[in-house]
């Protein structure tokens, strides 16, 4: 298909597609002559992924480019490739290691992973943004004076492991390695808000069941 058809089918303006091409978010089309290139279904699919990352996920162009670079990097094994793509997404800042609440939360997270038997998560703890986010979140909760100990966290962690199993089962229904990594990223960018919202809807349902509407 030509650029005009790619624009029509994707709903993305021609000027925006040209911008994505210049920024390396979209591979060049097959050159027919000096002024014309031809694009295929892979371009259309990638264009939709780019739009999802930038418009819905609100990723900066540079971040989207880095994420897509990891998705396309077939020199990496699946776990590292997936991790690199996910870790390129916006993350929380590094915690202040001198903060007593951070120190306490970090010790709690280490105990949590040990109780769960999550040895791989323990091995990745020094580099994983997810581990860092967990520490920062628990530290912030404690800083506000709320008690949230390991016994309260354990059942949530076990439920999240069940969610992770469902996530990766879905990832494995896709054929190519690039698709597997791509859907893992899109699941994080697009579905995490859905899961958060489902939790809120469930809380509303449970609150109404317990306390009524008074």
């Amino acid at each position: 298909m030509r650029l005009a058809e790619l624009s029509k089918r994707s709903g993305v303006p021609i000027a925006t597609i040209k911008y994505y091409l210049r920024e390396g978010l979209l591979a060049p089309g097959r050159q027919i002559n000096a002024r014309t290139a031809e694009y295929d279904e892979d371009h259309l699919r990638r264009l939709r992924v780019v739009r999802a990352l930038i418009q819905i996920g609100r990723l900066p162009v540079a971040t989207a480019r880095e994420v897509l670079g990891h998705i396309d990097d077939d020199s990496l094994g699946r776990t590292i490739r997936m991790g690199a793509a996910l870790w390129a997404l916006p993350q929380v800042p590094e915690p202040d290691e001198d903060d007593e609440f951070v120190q306490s939360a970090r010790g709690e997270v280490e105990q949590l992973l040990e109780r769960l038997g999550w040895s791989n998560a323990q091995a990745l703890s020094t580099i994983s943004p997810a581990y860092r986010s967990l520490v920062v979140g628990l530290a912030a909760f404690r800083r506000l004076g709320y008690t949230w100990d390991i016994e309260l966290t354990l059942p949530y962690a076990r439920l999240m492991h069940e969610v992770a199993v469902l996530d990766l089962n879905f990832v494995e229904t896709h054929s190519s390695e690039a698709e597997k990594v791509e859907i893992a990223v899109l699941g994080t960018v697009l579905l995490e808000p859905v899961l958060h919202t489902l939790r809120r809807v469930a809380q509303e349902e449970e609150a109404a069941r317990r306390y009524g509407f008074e």
Side-chain angles (χ1 to χ4, degrees):
M1 74 188 87
R2 304 296 172 85
L3 188 59
E5 184 181 353
L6 180 62
S7 174
K8 181 179 180 180
R9 290 183 62 185
S10 66
V12 180
I14 289 176
T16 302
I17 295 175
K18 288 181 176 179
Y19 172 68
Y20 291 160
L21 287 165
R22 289 195 302 271
E23 291 295 320
L25 298 174
L26 194 64
R30 183 175 67 85
Q31 209 69 34
I32 297 174
N33 55 49
R35 298 177 59 84
T36 307
E38 190 172 60
Y39 302 89
D40 57 23
E41 296 297 322
D42 287 339
H43 287 94
L44 179 61
R45 184 171 176 278
R46 173 50 63 90
L47 187 54
R48 288 169 174 163
V49 171
V50 170
R51 291 298 269 181
L53 293 176
I54 292 176
Q55 284 200 322
I56 301 174
R58 303 295 183 187
L59 297 187
V61 167
T63 302
R65 186 193 304 114
E66 183 179 358
V67 170
L68 292 168
H70 292 307
I71 289 174
D72 294 335
D73 188 355
D74 58 9
S75 70
L76 300 174
R78 186 183 304 171
T79 300
I80 300 301
R81 190 174 179 179
M82 193 178 297
L86 291 173
W87 293 354
L89 297 172
Q91 307 291 344
V92 300
E94 290 285 348
D96 179 4
E97 295 300 336
D98 294 328
D99 186 315
E100 62 177 304
F101 295 104
V102 168
Q103 294 173 359
S104 174
R106 188 176 294 282
E108 193 88 356
V109 171
E110 289 172 359
Q111 291 179 47
L112 174 70
L113 298 180
E114 186 173 348
R115 289 274 297 274
L116 291 165
W118 291 2
S119 58
N120 294 314
Q122 287 177 300
L124 293 170
S125 64
T126 58
I127 58 174
S128 170
Y131 178 92
R132 183 167 68 241
S133 295
L134 185 55
V135 170
V136 169
L138 290 178
F141 206 69
R142 291 182 173 194
R143 192 175 292 111
L144 292 171
Y146 290 101
T147 299
W148 191 276
D149 61 20
I150 191 170
E151 298 303 327
L152 288 171
T153 311
L154 274 168
Y156 283 88
R158 292 182 177 123
L159 287 172
M160 288 302 101
H161 184 260
E162 292 182 27
V163 172
V165 170
L166 293 174
D167 288 341
L168 293 182
N169 285 346
F170 180 63
V171 164
E172 289 171 5
T173 64
H174 295 76
S175 55
S176 73
E177 290 298 317
E179 285 179 325
K180 288 179 170 65
V181 179
E182 181 182 280
I183 198 61
V185 171
L186 291 176
T188 299
V189 172
L190 305 180
L191 285 184
E192 278 194 353
V194 174
L195 295 179
H196 287 202
T197 304
L198 280 174
R199 179 173 179 262
R200 291 178 185 176
V201 171
Q203 287 174 334
E204 290 171 359
E205 169 64 22
E206 181 63 13
R209 187 188 69 79
R210 293 190 185 197
Y211 314 126
F213 290 97
E214 297 180 1

